[in-house]
Amino acid sequence: SQYGTNAAACAISLDGGLTFGPAVPIYQVSCFGIHGHVKVAPDGTAYVPNSDCSTSFSGPGPNDTARQGLVFSEDNGATWSQPQLVPDSNPAPGIVDPSIGIGSGGTIYYGYANSNGAPSIAVGHKVNHQIVWGASKDVGAALGVQNSTFPEVVAGDDNRAAFAFLGTT
């Protein structure tokens, strides 16, 4: 769930959603506003993307950098990682959830609207409990897409994913 603008929480259900355990904060202050949907990898890691995370746990300040990012849990949501920032991204304009798809071998495909509205995607791999990102790619440039919203990523095999979005020239 999302509450306020500076926190989010997650709770686990072990009976198909009839009951849930206590909600656990997935981040506080270091990520802001609306986040994307939780996705679970084949190895059980849960991921939650966010379009606006700060390099500082205390919130945005004059020396902080805001980036798109995600947090993950490797223990059924009991604990969550620090935000894993996509290095060459910027927060989305307005309210635009990022989306992730996870391939069968754990490859993470992070689809988002960059600060200029461009539909962009970054590919990452979890290495020693951190995400190592490749360079983002503007997937709309070849068609003149300058504004995008509602990104959605789905992955199956580990080396490919589908990225859908609404876009305009």
Side-chain angles (χ1 to χ4, degrees), residues 8-128:
C10 192
I12 188 171
S13 173
L14 300 174
D15 58 12
L18 293 175
T19 62
F20 287 85
V24 174
I26 63 174
Y27 52 75
Q28 293 182 9
V29 183
S30 57
C31 291
F32 305 91
I34 195 162
H35 59 72
H37 298 112
V38 65
K39 300 279 180 82
V40 180
D43 71 357
T45 302
Y47 294 90
V48 178
N50 189 294
S51 67
D52 190 359
C53 292
S54 171
T55 56
S56 169
F57 186 73
S58 61
N63 298 319
D64 294 325
T65 302
R67 297 279 184 248
Q68 302 258 347
L70 59 79
V71 293
F72 64 86
S73 175
E74 298 171 303
D75 57 9
N76 287 338
T79 61
W80 291 84
S81 72
Q82 289 297 314
Q84 307 291 301
L85 307 180
V86 178
D88 56 355
S89 68
N90 290 298
I95 299 174
V96 181
D97 298 6
S99 177
I100 59 173
I102 302 124
S104 59
T107 300
I108 303 158
Y109 299 91
Y110 187 104
Y112 63 102
N114 216 339
S115 60
N116 62 0
S120 301
I121 194 156
V123 178
H125 295 89
K126 188 169 54 160
V127 178
N128 295 325

Side-chain angles (χ1 to χ4, degrees), residues 139-167:
V139 298
L143 298 173
V145 176
Q146 296 184 23
N147 299 292
S148 63
T149 193
F150 299 120
E152 188 62 44
V153 180
V154 177
D157 290 344
D158 204 46
N159 61 347
R160 59 183 161 177
F163 179 27
F165 55 88
L166 297 179

